Amino acid sequence: EDQVTQSPEALRLQEGESSSLNCSYTVSGLRGLFWYRQDPGKGPEFLFTLYSAGEEKEKERLKATLTKKESFLHITAPKPEDSATYLCAVGVQETSGSRLTFGEGTQLTVNP
Amino acid sequence: SAVISQKPSRDICQRGTSLTIQCQVDSQVTMMFWYRQQPGQSLTLIATANQGSEATYESGFVIDKFPISRPNLTFSTLTVSNMSPEDSSIYLCSVGPSDTQYFGPGTRLTVL
């Protein structure tokens, strides 16, 4: 059974204070590690998919990295608008789409 | 990216009743996925809906409680049957492709 654990549960940063979120996983075979951002009252917004150890992807102030056992979401010089819950998930890829197992998320608050 | 809409966006229902949630996608997709997000928790996959075949349910979810229809390649419904307060959650539909996974805005259900 796939398992995904995220840490910390909550993180408070000052604007401009860089940090990292962790996602560790136990799967029978990695088929995709997904990162999402979720704002209150909204559905998750897709950020990245990583497939192999050593892979990195970037989007604005966010960079996701992957090892064989965990993934990190690095946030560089965050702004208050980066405040959200960040979710990671591992995916079983189907012919059209992926069945995802999610972690519990990290709630990020960036204070001005 | 796919544009996904859900109806209703929210509802308050009495225990013992049923609610049908609609999911509409702006393009044809083979597979659609239904997730549940209980208050303060992460997302859990309920079932995978393929056009022209029976939905595939995850462990802990059964067809009698969560019947799903998939009449065409752009539409699906999830019914929450014989509701109890424990069914109060956000219900989300999701579509691929397999290297990304997009989510609808969700239906917030409260059962009294």
Side-chain angles (χ1 to χ4, degrees):
Chain A
E1 181 179 337
D2 296 349
Q3 290 193 345
V4 180
T5 304
Q6 292 187 247
S7 62
E9 292 184 11
L11 181 62
R12 286 186 175 272
L13 299 174
Q14 289 299 122
E15 184 171 3
E17 178 187 3
S18 301
S19 188
S20 297
L21 312 182
N22 177 264
C23 172
S24 62
Y25 58 89
T26 305
V27 297
S28 58
L30 181 61
R31 288 120 326 174
L33 188 294
F34 295 70
W35 281 100
Y36 287 87
R37 168 190 172 128
Q38 187 174 29
D39 292 298
K42 295 187 177 182
E45 174 189 348
F46 173 78
L47 295 174
F48 306 108
T49 306
L50 304 169
Y51 289 100
S52 56
E55 188 175 359
E56 299 183 353
K57 289 189 177 178
E58 291 188 60
K59 180 180 181 180
E60 297 180 353
R61 294 177 293 282
L62 301 177
K63 183 169 78 172
T65 62
L66 183 65
T67 73
K68 289 184 178 180
K69 294 185 177 181
E70 57 191 351
S71 178
F72 294 92
L73 184 65
H74 307 278
I75 303 176
T76 302
K79 298 181 178 181
E81 53 262 41
D82 294 322
S83 298
T85 296
Y86 290 85
L87 301 168
C88 77
V90 293
V92 176
Q93 290 180 292
E94 304 286 352
T95 55
S96 170
S98 292
R99 295 165 47 238
L100 301 179
T101 299
F102 280 86
E104 294 299 313
T106 293
Q107 185 172 0
L108 174 65
T109 303
V110 182
N111 296 315
Chain B
S1 63
V3 177
I4 306 168
S5 60
Q6 290 186 231
K7 291 181 180 180
S9 59
R10 60 178 61 228
D11 208 341
I12 301 173
C13 301
Q14 298 296 320
R15 71 171 65 210
T17 62
S18 298
L19 176 72
T20 295
I21 301 167
Q22 300 178 9
C23 177
Q24 180 78 50
V25 186
D26 69 340
S27 58
Q28 293 186 339
V29 293
T30 305
M31 305 176 81
M32 297 177 77
F33 305 84
W34 286 98
Y35 287 81
R36 178 176 74 181
Q37 188 171 28
Q38 295 179 298
Q41 297 188 27
S42 194
L43 287 78
T44 301
L45 180 63
I46 298 171
T48 302
N50 295 316
Q51 196 270 332
S53 64
E54 292 287 330
T56 303
Y57 289 83
E58 299 297 307
S59 176
F61 298 96
V62 295
I63 187 171
D64 291 346
K65 177 67 176 177
F66 298 102
I68 289 171
S69 77
R70 184 77 203 276
N72 59 53
L73 292 174
T74 63
F75 186 80
S76 178
T77 67
L78 171 76
T79 298
V80 186
S81 302
N82 188 24
M83 289 184 286
S84 66
E86 292 69 37
D87 294 318
S88 297
S89 296
I90 299 172
Y91 293 85
L92 302 110
C93 66
S94 175
V95 301
S98 57
D99 60 343
T100 59
Q101 198 69 21
Y102 300 108
F103 284 83
T107 295
R108 181 179 295 270
L109 170 62
T110 302
V111 184
L112 302 178

